[in-house]
Amino acid sequence: MTGYTMLRNGGVGNGGQTCMLRWSNRIRLTWLSFTLFIILVFFPLIAHYYLTTLDEADEAGKRIFGPRAGNELCEVKHVLDLCRIRESVSEELLQLEAKRQELNSEIAKLNLKIEACKKSIENAKQDLLQLKNVISQTEHSYKELMAQNQPKLSLPIRLLPEKDDAGLPPPKVIRGCRLHNCFDYSRCPLTSGFPVYVYDSDQFAFGSYLDPLVKQAFQATARASVYVTENADIACLYVVLVGEIQEPVVLRPAELEKQLYSLPHWRTDGHNHVIINLSRKSDTQNLLYNVSTGRAMVAQSTFYASQYRPGFDLVVSPLVHAMSEPNFMEIPPQVPVKRKYLFTFQGEKIESLRSSLQEARSFEEEMEGDPPADYDDRIIATLKAVQDSKLDQVLVEFTCKNQPKPSLPTEWALCGEREDRLELLKLSTFALIITPGDPHLVISSGCATRLFEALEVGAVPVVLGEQVQLPYQDMLQWNEAALVVPKPRVTEVHFLLRSLSDSDLLAMRRQGRFLWETYFSTADSIFNTVLAMIRTRIQIPAAPIREEAAAEIPHRSGKAAGTDPNMADNGDLDLGPVETEPPYASPKYLRNFTLTVTDFYRSWNSAPGPFHLFPHTPFDPVLPSEAKFLGSGTGFRPIGGGAGGSGKEFQAALGGNVPREQFTVVMLTYEREEVLMNSLERLNGLPYLNKVVVVWNSPKLPSEDLLWPDIGVPIMVVRTEKNSLNNRFLPWNEIETEAILSIDDDAHLRHDEIMFGFRVWREARDRIVGFPGRYHAWDIPHQSWLYNSNYSCELSMVLTGAAFFHKYYAYLYSYVMPQAIRDMVDEYINCEDIAMNFLVSHITRKPPIKVTSRWTFRCPGCPQALSHDDSHFHERHKCINFFVKVYGYMPLLYTQFRVDSVLFKTRLPHDKTKCFKFI
């Protein structure tokens, strides 16, 4: 029962309940799923529809969910934000669209401009091509015109005679030898370069008899000559040294003649040979007397009239300083002009002295009778009378205190030793030189020695006897350095000497010093003078003087140079036309093959005036591009002419006699890279600048990573062999312009100042033109010269740390100026600027020119230079006094002349001129 009941209840009651529960659960799940579906699907759709139709729902009768209040939904805060965002975005989109349209319009316009520019470029290219064609045609036409008017001549073919060719037929009289009948011009073409062959004396018998000092000095000089060649077949001239002979060797004329004729290139008559007999003593033998020299020239210090051939043979000075240079410290100064004695003479003449002392006839008695054959008696009496009159202090001695030196017959023998004679001449204003009584003795070694010693110590020579042949007389104008008085005028000598003014006397003394230094003083000067004499006679130009080969230091450039406002701001100043052409060099000299004809005498005798060493001195400084000195009275040859005559030309061209010209900047530096770079950058845009030569004076090379500025012109960095301030003035071959602006690496000059200095230099090309002025002063307590840098209205020097000068002076400074001066510059590492001022003033006899009122030129903030050292001024005092001793006088000249711009910065009407004025 229980089981049944349980079965029924469990089977019916519990089973039904479970089914209902399950069914209800399923219904709830289904409803829940449907509800979620409705919520998830339809509600977003309704919300989306509502939001999209929100604006339309505000209209009457069109509300989505039935009638509602007008602002019920829009008052919701987040909806308002959305509205504002939408409105803002819409407004921005409208603005962007407007900008887009505007940019499209601008792009279209720019495209049109680009197309127009492309067309302009194409047109410009076409115009440029046409201009190039026109320029090319013009250049071609110009070359054709130049070829027609100045045809280029090729060098003539040199035809050498046969080795055994005897040349011209011998003259009827050997003494009648002249260049036209005894010299073979065919061996010496104008373009040959004047090759000279020097015989080796040791290979011949007479070579063993030569004085060792003479032979050694001669050989050393020959080796250093630019003309000497070892190829005898092409030689124009053959030189053989035969004297001086050692004592007591006596070389017989026949033996010497035989040895001369045995020379390998004598060619039977010795044409184109020069036989040199140098004398070191006053009694040197006349080796070539009674020796037949054929057509060979003879150069010696003693000649008889029977052996001297005027215009063919050469009278040379004695070789006193064989292997030594003159000691400038022992040479007396040229001032004061008047010395203790008015004139002096010491000598003894054995042959006529006794008769002159015994026969003391008056001049009146002599004039009543026949004129005397020998004027020595009259000379002795006259000079003794002047000495006894006490009108002037003179010293004449006709008897030597010691044994007189050996001499030729009728010649006045020298007394005492050379040192004693020089001490007396140092006290003499004039030095009397009495020529030999024998009229057939035209010159003797004794007379030449007296002349040499007088010129050496600054005693003006007074030669009694017009028949004498002085050394190099056919080239040198001796009347500028000596007085040649006929013996019959001996009674007027005293009056003549007293009538000379101090200025004339100083000029003669200075000219004599120049002649002695240039032609007499050393073996080099004598040998080179002999060659220069012959070369000038046969009209062959001198060899060009050498230039310093610039060893360039590689460097990187490309750094764009900035523009210094201080450099670019020139105010109202118009610098003139800024050239757009590439750098060009100064015109070369084209008269080298005719200058020996046109400037025959002036170049030998124009010292110490302008350019006295150019071009025919023994140094032969014929400059390859500087020879424009020769044409005018100032020493410079004009190159064409400018338009001139109008002040407006200042804005259009440089004007003047050289309308196209540039200058080169030479800048000396020593391990100051930053200062150097700043100075180079300041040169950017400088008109008329050809190039910049940086003289790197340090053994340490510039930094490898150093980037040099690009200033629009080449920058040449030159490496030097040693640290020397003399390197500033070396004539570098990279300098292709006549004008040089020497400037320190710390100099700070504006462009207008540099241009003004350049324009002024073009008006005074033979002078130093610069900015910082200095002067010299006499220290009375210490009786010496002082260097002064104080501000002053008077100056005598312009420092070359910022100055223009001609390249010509670079040659003279480096090769001609006494070596002792350059040595002192190296010793003190100072004074090179003073040395250049001394040189230019000595040559031109003119002071420098200072431009503008600027007194200093150092850049602010630059490291200190050598001039700030305490010993700087003391060294410069010493330099000035040493230079005065070397030159023998003070060459510096004072001036109160200064050039300033007056109308440079003045604005004038266009119809008026614009120029500058010197004050």
Side-chain angles (χ1 to χ4, degrees), residues 720-748:
T720 58
E721 296 181 356
K722 65 176 182 178
N723 178 19
S724 171
L725 294 180
N726 293 315
N727 296 332
R728 178 195 297 272
F729 303 124
L730 284 174
W732 302 105
N733 58 354
E734 292 296 333
I735 301 176
E736 299 178 317
T737 61
E738 295 181 5
I740 295 177
L741 172 58
S742 174
I743 191 170
D744 288 342
D745 58 359
D746 58 354
H748 196 272

PDB file of all heavy atoms in Angstrom, residues 720-748:
ATOM      1  N   THR A 720     107.537  78.837 -45.698  1.00  0.00           N
ATOM      2  CA  THR A 720     108.870  79.427 -45.705  1.00  0.00           C
ATOM      3  C   THR A 720     109.898  78.438 -45.161  1.00  0.00           C
ATOM      4  O   THR A 720     109.558  77.497 -44.446  1.00  0.00           O
ATOM      5  CB  THR A 720     108.893  80.709 -44.867  1.00  0.00           C
ATOM      6  OG1 THR A 720     108.487  80.411 -43.528  1.00  0.00           O
ATOM      7  CG2 THR A 720     107.938  81.740 -45.450  1.00  0.00           C
ATOM      8  N   GLU A 721     111.150  78.693 -45.515  1.00  0.00           N
ATOM      9  CA  GLU A 721     112.217  77.815 -45.062  1.00  0.00           C
ATOM     10  C   GLU A 721     112.561  78.034 -43.598  1.00  0.00           C
ATOM     11  O   GLU A 721     112.982  77.112 -42.906  1.00  0.00           O
ATOM     12  CB  GLU A 721     113.464  78.021 -45.926  1.00  0.00           C
ATOM     13  CG  GLU A 721     113.266  77.645 -47.396  1.00  0.00           C
ATOM     14  CD  GLU A 721     114.527  77.851 -48.199  1.00  0.00           C
ATOM     15  OE1 GLU A 721     115.521  78.353 -47.626  1.00  0.00           O
ATOM     16  OE2 GLU A 721     114.536  77.516 -49.394  1.00  0.00           O
ATOM     17  N   LYS A 722     112.406  79.245 -43.124  1.00  0.00           N
ATOM     18  CA  LYS A 722     112.709  79.549 -41.722  1.00  0.00           C
ATOM     19  C   LYS A 722     111.817  80.686 -41.260  1.00  0.00           C
ATOM     20  O   LYS A 722     111.221  81.405 -42.073  1.00  0.00           O
ATOM     21  CB  LYS A 722     114.178  79.927 -41.549  1.00  0.00           C
ATOM     22  CG  LYS A 722     114.582  81.216 -42.253  1.00  0.00           C
ATOM     23  CD  LYS A 722     116.019  81.583 -41.949  1.00  0.00           C
ATOM     24  CE  LYS A 722     116.406  82.908 -42.607  1.00  0.00           C
ATOM     25  NZ  LYS A 722     117.789  83.308 -42.284  1.00  0.00           N
ATOM     26  N   ASN A 723     111.746  80.841 -39.954  1.00  0.00           N
ATOM     27  CA  ASN A 723     110.961  81.922 -39.369  1.00  0.00           C
ATOM     28  C   ASN A 723     111.762  83.212 -39.451  1.00  0.00           C
ATOM     29  O   ASN A 723     112.712  83.423 -38.699  1.00  0.00           O
ATOM     30  CB  ASN A 723     110.623  81.589 -37.913  1.00  0.00           C
ATOM     31  CG  ASN A 723     109.850  82.705 -37.240  1.00  0.00           C
ATOM     32  OD1 ASN A 723     109.264  83.555 -37.908  1.00  0.00           O
ATOM     33  ND2 ASN A 723     109.860  82.705 -35.914  1.00  0.00           N
ATOM     34  N   SER A 724     111.406  84.060 -40.392  1.00  0.00           N
ATOM     35  CA  SER A 724     112.133  85.307 -40.601  1.00  0.00           C
ATOM     36  C   SER A 724     111.153  86.370 -41.046  1.00  0.00           C
ATOM     37  O   SER A 724     110.298  86.138 -41.906  1.00  0.00           O
ATOM     38  CB  SER A 724     113.241  85.138 -41.649  1.00  0.00           C
ATOM     39  OG  SER A 724     113.808  86.386 -41.984  1.00  0.00           O
ATOM     40  N   LEU A 725     111.278  87.562 -40.450  1.00  0.00           N
ATOM     41  CA  LEU A 725     110.448  88.674 -40.876  1.00  0.00           C
ATOM     42  C   LEU A 725     110.827  89.158 -42.271  1.00  0.00           C
ATOM     43  O   LEU A 725     110.040  89.864 -42.919  1.00  0.00           O
ATOM     44  CB  LEU A 725     110.558  89.827 -39.876  1.00  0.00           C
ATOM     45  CG  LEU A 725     109.989  89.557 -38.479  1.00  0.00           C
ATOM     46  CD1 LEU A 725     110.161  90.774 -37.587  1.00  0.00           C
ATOM     47  CD2 LEU A 725     108.523  89.168 -38.551  1.00  0.00           C
ATOM     48  N   ASN A 726     112.013  88.794 -42.751  1.00  0.00           N
ATOM     49  CA  ASN A 726     112.393  89.144 -44.119  1.00  0.00           C
ATOM     50  C   ASN A 726     111.517  88.445 -45.148  1.00  0.00           C
ATOM     51  O   ASN A 726     111.459  88.872 -46.310  1.00  0.00           O
ATOM     52  CB  ASN A 726     113.863  88.794 -44.365  1.00  0.00           C
ATOM     53  CG  ASN A 726     114.811  89.652 -43.548  1.00  0.00           C
ATOM     54  OD1 ASN A 726     114.645  90.867 -43.465  1.00  0.00           O
ATOM     55  ND2 ASN A 726     115.806  89.026 -42.940  1.00  0.00           N
ATOM     56  N   ASN A 727     110.851  87.359 -44.745  1.00  0.00           N
ATOM     57  CA  ASN A 727     109.977  86.652 -45.677  1.00  0.00           C
ATOM     58  C   ASN A 727     108.811  87.514 -46.140  1.00  0.00           C
ATOM     59  O   ASN A 727     108.204  87.234 -47.171  1.00  0.00           O
ATOM     60  CB  ASN A 727     109.440  85.378 -45.020  1.00  0.00           C
ATOM     61  CG  ASN A 727     110.542  84.378 -44.706  1.00  0.00           C
ATOM     62  OD1 ASN A 727     111.571  84.349 -45.377  1.00  0.00           O
ATOM     63  ND2 ASN A 727     110.345  83.571 -43.679  1.00  0.00           N
ATOM     64  N   ARG A 728     108.502  88.546 -45.385  1.00  0.00           N
ATOM     65  CA  ARG A 728     107.411  89.439 -45.763  1.00  0.00           C
ATOM     66  C   ARG A 728     107.680  90.100 -47.112  1.00  0.00           C
ATOM     67  O   ARG A 728     106.754  90.384 -47.874  1.00  0.00           O
ATOM     68  CB  ARG A 728     107.229  90.511 -44.692  1.00  0.00           C
ATOM     69  CG  ARG A 728     106.147  91.524 -45.008  1.00  0.00           C
ATOM     70  CD  ARG A 728     106.263  92.745 -44.096  1.00  0.00           C
ATOM     71  NE  ARG A 728     106.073  92.431 -42.714  1.00  0.00           N
ATOM     72  CZ  ARG A 728     104.888  92.405 -42.103  1.00  0.00           C
ATOM     73  NH1 ARG A 728     103.795  92.688 -42.789  1.00  0.00           N
ATOM     74  NH2 ARG A 728     104.798  92.109 -40.825  1.00  0.00           N
ATOM     75  N   PHE A 729     108.962  90.335 -47.422  1.00  0.00           N
ATOM     76  CA  PHE A 729     109.324  91.091 -48.618  1.00  0.00           C
ATOM     77  C   PHE A 729     109.979  90.234 -49.692  1.00  0.00           C
ATOM     78  O   PHE A 729     110.606  90.771 -50.600  1.00  0.00           O
ATOM     79  CB  PHE A 729     110.254  92.241 -48.241  1.00  0.00           C
ATOM     80  CG  PHE A 729     109.679  93.177 -47.217  1.00  0.00           C
ATOM     81  CD1 PHE A 729     110.340  93.428 -46.040  1.00  0.00           C
ATOM     82  CD2 PHE A 729     108.460  93.787 -47.441  1.00  0.00           C
ATOM     83  CE1 PHE A 729     109.813  94.278 -45.088  1.00  0.00           C
ATOM     84  CE2 PHE A 729     107.920  94.651 -46.493  1.00  0.00           C
ATOM     85  CZ  PHE A 729     108.596  94.891 -45.323  1.00  0.00           C
ATOM     86  N   LEU A 730     109.845  88.938 -49.621  1.00  0.00           N
ATOM     87  CA  LEU A 730     110.377  88.096 -50.690  1.00  0.00           C
ATOM     88  C   LEU A 730     109.537  88.281 -51.958  1.00  0.00           C
ATOM     89  O   LEU A 730     108.301  88.342 -51.887  1.00  0.00           O
ATOM     90  CB  LEU A 730     110.364  86.632 -50.271  1.00  0.00           C
ATOM     91  CG  LEU A 730     111.463  86.206 -49.296  1.00  0.00           C
ATOM     92  CD1 LEU A 730     111.243  84.767 -48.850  1.00  0.00           C
ATOM     93  CD2 LEU A 730     112.837  86.354 -49.914  1.00  0.00           C
ATOM     94  N   PRO A 731     110.176  88.372 -53.118  1.00  0.00           N
ATOM     95  CA  PRO A 731     109.407  88.540 -54.371  1.00  0.00           C
ATOM     96  C   PRO A 731     108.839  87.204 -54.845  1.00  0.00           C
ATOM     97  O   PRO A 731     109.343  86.588 -55.780  1.00  0.00           O
ATOM     98  CB  PRO A 731     110.454  89.099 -55.341  1.00  0.00           C
ATOM     99  CG  PRO A 731     111.749  88.544 -54.849  1.00  0.00           C
ATOM    100  CD  PRO A 731     111.635  88.438 -53.347  1.00  0.00           C
ATOM    101  N   TRP A 732     107.760  86.771 -54.235  1.00  0.00           N
ATOM    102  CA  TRP A 732     107.168  85.480 -54.575  1.00  0.00           C
ATOM    103  C   TRP A 732     106.673  85.493 -56.013  1.00  0.00           C
ATOM    104  O   TRP A 732     106.128  86.493 -56.492  1.00  0.00           O
ATOM    105  CB  TRP A 732     106.012  85.170 -53.640  1.00  0.00           C
ATOM    106  CG  TRP A 732     106.379  85.151 -52.189  1.00  0.00           C
ATOM    107  CD1 TRP A 732     106.104  86.096 -51.253  1.00  0.00           C
ATOM    108  CD2 TRP A 732     107.114  84.122 -51.504  1.00  0.00           C
ATOM    109  NE1 TRP A 732     106.610  85.736 -50.030  1.00  0.00           N
ATOM    110  CE2 TRP A 732     107.244  84.521 -50.156  1.00  0.00           C
ATOM    111  CE3 TRP A 732     107.667  82.907 -51.892  1.00  0.00           C
ATOM    112  CZ2 TRP A 732     107.901  83.760 -49.207  1.00  0.00           C
ATOM    113  CZ3 TRP A 732     108.326  82.143 -50.944  1.00  0.00           C
ATOM    114  CH2 TRP A 732     108.433  82.557 -49.624  1.00  0.00           C
ATOM    115  N   ASN A 733     106.856  84.380 -56.679  1.00  0.00           N
ATOM    116  CA  ASN A 733     106.410  84.306 -58.070  1.00  0.00           C
ATOM    117  C   ASN A 733     104.893  84.302 -58.190  1.00  0.00           C
ATOM    118  O   ASN A 733     104.358  84.528 -59.263  1.00  0.00           O
ATOM    119  CB  ASN A 733     106.986  83.061 -58.747  1.00  0.00           C
ATOM    120  CG  ASN A 733     106.596  81.777 -58.021  1.00  0.00           C
ATOM    121  OD1 ASN A 733     105.983  81.812 -56.956  1.00  0.00           O
ATOM    122  ND2 ASN A 733     106.949  80.646 -58.575  1.00  0.00           N
ATOM    123  N   GLU A 734     104.185  84.070 -57.098  1.00  0.00           N
ATOM    124  CA  GLU A 734     102.733  84.103 -57.132  1.00  0.00           C
ATOM    125  C   GLU A 734     102.193  85.523 -57.117  1.00  0.00           C
ATOM    126  O   GLU A 734     100.998  85.729 -57.330  1.00  0.00           O
ATOM    127  CB  GLU A 734     102.164  83.317 -55.937  1.00  0.00           C
ATOM    128  CG  GLU A 734     102.418  81.826 -56.004  1.00  0.00           C
ATOM    129  CD  GLU A 734     101.711  81.179 -57.184  1.00  0.00           C
ATOM    130  OE1 GLU A 734     100.673  81.716 -57.614  1.00  0.00           O
ATOM    131  OE2 GLU A 734     102.190  80.142 -57.679  1.00  0.00           O
ATOM    132  N   ILE A 735     103.037  86.503 -56.847  1.00  0.00           N
ATOM    133  CA  ILE A 735     102.603  87.896 -56.867  1.00  0.00           C
ATOM    134  C   ILE A 735     102.687  88.375 -58.313  1.00  0.00           C
ATOM    135  O   ILE A 735     103.769  88.573 -58.858  1.00  0.00           O
ATOM    136  CB  ILE A 735     103.470  88.765 -55.948  1.00  0.00           C
ATOM    137  CG1 ILE A 735     103.421  88.249 -54.508  1.00  0.00           C
ATOM    138  CG2 ILE A 735     103.032  90.220 -56.005  1.00  0.00           C
ATOM    139  CD1 ILE A 735     104.332  89.004 -53.552  1.00  0.00           C
ATOM    140  N   GLU A 736     101.547  88.557 -58.935  1.00  0.00           N
ATOM    141  CA  GLU A 736     101.488  88.904 -60.352  1.00  0.00           C
ATOM    142  C   GLU A 736     101.097  90.355 -60.594  1.00  0.00           C
ATOM    143  O   GLU A 736     100.896  90.754 -61.735  1.00  0.00           O
ATOM    144  CB  GLU A 736     100.493  87.984 -61.064  1.00  0.00           C
ATOM    145  CG  GLU A 736     100.880  86.510 -60.987  1.00  0.00           C
ATOM    146  CD  GLU A 736      99.858  85.611 -61.644  1.00  0.00           C
ATOM    147  OE1 GLU A 736      98.651  85.832 -61.449  1.00  0.00           O
ATOM    148  OE2 GLU A 736     100.269  84.693 -62.362  1.00  0.00           O
ATOM    149  N   THR A 737     101.005  91.135 -59.546  1.00  0.00           N
ATOM    150  CA  THR A 737     100.666  92.549 -59.686  1.00  0.00           C
ATOM    151  C   THR A 737     101.833  93.402 -59.219  1.00  0.00           C
ATOM    152  O   THR A 737     102.672  92.962 -58.434  1.00  0.00           O
ATOM    153  CB  THR A 737      99.422  92.896 -58.853  1.00  0.00           C
ATOM    154  OG1 THR A 737      99.693  92.643 -57.469  1.00  0.00           O
ATOM    155  CG2 THR A 737      98.235  92.078 -59.298  1.00  0.00           C
ATOM    156  N   GLU A 738     101.871  94.625 -59.720  1.00  0.00           N
ATOM    157  CA  GLU A 738     102.903  95.553 -59.277  1.00  0.00           C
ATOM    158  C   GLU A 738     102.618  96.053 -57.867  1.00  0.00           C
ATOM    159  O   GLU A 738     103.535  96.255 -57.082  1.00  0.00           O
ATOM    160  CB  GLU A 738     102.987  96.726 -60.248  1.00  0.00           C
ATOM    161  CG  GLU A 738     103.445  96.345 -61.639  1.00  0.00           C
ATOM    162  CD  GLU A 738     103.540  97.550 -62.550  1.00  0.00           C
ATOM    163  OE1 GLU A 738     103.343  98.678 -62.062  1.00  0.00           O
ATOM    164  OE2 GLU A 738     103.810  97.372 -63.740  1.00  0.00           O
ATOM    165  N   ALA A 739     101.355  96.256 -57.559  1.00  0.00           N
ATOM    166  CA  ALA A 739     100.977  96.788 -56.248  1.00  0.00           C
ATOM    167  C   ALA A 739     100.885  95.663 -55.233  1.00  0.00           C
ATOM    168  O   ALA A 739     100.246  94.636 -55.477  1.00  0.00           O
ATOM    169  CB  ALA A 739      99.645  97.521 -56.347  1.00  0.00           C
ATOM    170  N   ILE A 740     101.530  95.863 -54.096  1.00  0.00           N
ATOM    171  CA  ILE A 740     101.491  94.916 -52.986  1.00  0.00           C
ATOM    172  C   ILE A 740     100.978  95.654 -51.760  1.00  0.00           C
ATOM    173  O   ILE A 740     101.486  96.719 -51.409  1.00  0.00           O
ATOM    174  CB  ILE A 740     102.880  94.321 -52.700  1.00  0.00           C
ATOM    175  CG1 ILE A 740     103.370  93.474 -53.873  1.00  0.00           C
ATOM    176  CG2 ILE A 740     102.856  93.476 -51.431  1.00  0.00           C
ATOM    177  CD1 ILE A 740     104.768  92.912 -53.675  1.00  0.00           C
ATOM    178  N   LEU A 741      99.973  95.078 -51.120  1.00  0.00           N
ATOM    179  CA  LEU A 741      99.511  95.578 -49.828  1.00  0.00           C
ATOM    180  C   LEU A 741     100.064  94.648 -48.766  1.00  0.00           C
ATOM    181  O   LEU A 741      99.583  93.524 -48.595  1.00  0.00           O
ATOM    182  CB  LEU A 741      97.985  95.639 -49.769  1.00  0.00           C
ATOM    183  CG  LEU A 741      97.386  95.974 -48.395  1.00  0.00           C
ATOM    184  CD1 LEU A 741      97.903  97.315 -47.883  1.00  0.00           C
ATOM    185  CD2 LEU A 741      95.867  95.965 -48.444  1.00  0.00           C
ATOM    186  N   SER A 742     101.092  95.097 -48.075  1.00  0.00           N
ATOM    187  CA  SER A 742     101.662  94.325 -46.977  1.00  0.00           C
ATOM    188  C   SER A 742     100.840  94.614 -45.730  1.00  0.00           C
ATOM    189  O   SER A 742     100.686  95.773 -45.328  1.00  0.00           O
ATOM    190  CB  SER A 742     103.125  94.727 -46.759  1.00  0.00           C
ATOM    191  OG  SER A 742     103.655  94.085 -45.612  1.00  0.00           O
ATOM    192  N   ILE A 743     100.334  93.563 -45.126  1.00  0.00           N
ATOM    193  CA  ILE A 743      99.410  93.742 -44.005  1.00  0.00           C
ATOM    194  C   ILE A 743      99.654  92.659 -42.970  1.00  0.00           C
ATOM    195  O   ILE A 743      99.941  91.506 -43.309  1.00  0.00           O
ATOM    196  CB  ILE A 743      97.948  93.718 -44.522  1.00  0.00           C
ATOM    197  CG1 ILE A 743      96.980  94.154 -43.438  1.00  0.00           C
ATOM    198  CG2 ILE A 743      97.580  92.365 -45.068  1.00  0.00           C
ATOM    199  CD1 ILE A 743      95.577  94.374 -43.958  1.00  0.00           C
ATOM    200  N   ASP A 744      99.596  93.038 -41.698  1.00  0.00           N
ATOM    201  CA  ASP A 744      99.731  92.074 -40.613  1.00  0.00           C
ATOM    202  C   ASP A 744      98.452  91.265 -40.472  1.00  0.00           C
ATOM    203  O   ASP A 744      97.371  91.692 -40.893  1.00  0.00           O
ATOM    204  CB  ASP A 744     100.031  92.792 -39.295  1.00  0.00           C
ATOM    205  CG  ASP A 744     101.446  93.359 -39.261  1.00  0.00           C
ATOM    206  OD1 ASP A 744     102.279  92.906 -40.073  1.00  0.00           O
ATOM    207  OD2 ASP A 744     101.712  94.255 -38.441  1.00  0.00           O
ATOM    208  N   ASP A 745      98.576  90.098 -39.838  1.00  0.00           N
ATOM    209  CA  ASP A 745      97.389  89.257 -39.688  1.00  0.00           C
ATOM    210  C   ASP A 745      96.402  89.808 -38.669  1.00  0.00           C
ATOM    211  O   ASP A 745      95.267  89.323 -38.595  1.00  0.00           O
ATOM    212  CB  ASP A 745      97.795  87.826 -39.315  1.00  0.00           C
ATOM    213  CG  ASP A 745      98.611  87.774 -38.034  1.00  0.00           C
ATOM    214  OD1 ASP A 745      98.873  88.843 -37.447  1.00  0.00           O
ATOM    215  OD2 ASP A 745      98.991  86.666 -37.604  1.00  0.00           O
ATOM    216  N   ASP A 746      96.822  90.783 -37.866  1.00  0.00           N
ATOM    217  CA  ASP A 746      95.896  91.376 -36.907  1.00  0.00           C
ATOM    218  C   ASP A 746      95.524  92.808 -37.272  1.00  0.00           C
ATOM    219  O   ASP A 746      94.966  93.538 -36.444  1.00  0.00           O
ATOM    220  CB  ASP A 746      96.494  91.342 -35.495  1.00  0.00           C
ATOM    221  CG  ASP A 746      97.833  92.066 -35.408  1.00  0.00           C
ATOM    222  OD1 ASP A 746      98.341  92.489 -36.475  1.00  0.00           O
ATOM    223  OD2 ASP A 746      98.373  92.193 -34.302  1.00  0.00           O
ATOM    224  N   ALA A 747      95.845  93.221 -38.480  1.00  0.00           N
ATOM    225  CA  ALA A 747      95.494  94.574 -38.906  1.00  0.00           C
ATOM    226  C   ALA A 747      93.998  94.662 -39.177  1.00  0.00           C
ATOM    227  O   ALA A 747      93.396  93.741 -39.734  1.00  0.00           O
ATOM    228  CB  ALA A 747      96.278  94.965 -40.151  1.00  0.00           C
ATOM    229  N   HIS A 748      93.407  95.754 -38.791  1.00  0.00           N
ATOM    230  CA  HIS A 748      91.963  95.942 -38.899  1.00  0.00           C
ATOM    231  C   HIS A 748      91.702  97.208 -39.701  1.00  0.00           C
ATOM    232  O   HIS A 748      91.697  98.319 -39.169  1.00  0.00           O
ATOM    233  CB  HIS A 748      91.353  96.049 -37.501  1.00  0.00           C
ATOM    234  CG  HIS A 748      89.863  95.864 -37.479  1.00  0.00           C
ATOM    235  ND1 HIS A 748      88.984  96.892 -37.659  1.00  0.00           N
ATOM    236  CD2 HIS A 748      89.106  94.745 -37.307  1.00  0.00           C
ATOM    237  CE1 HIS A 748      87.741  96.432 -37.576  1.00  0.00           C
ATOM    238  NE2 HIS A 748      87.789  95.136 -37.370  1.00  0.00           N
TER     239      HIS A 748
END
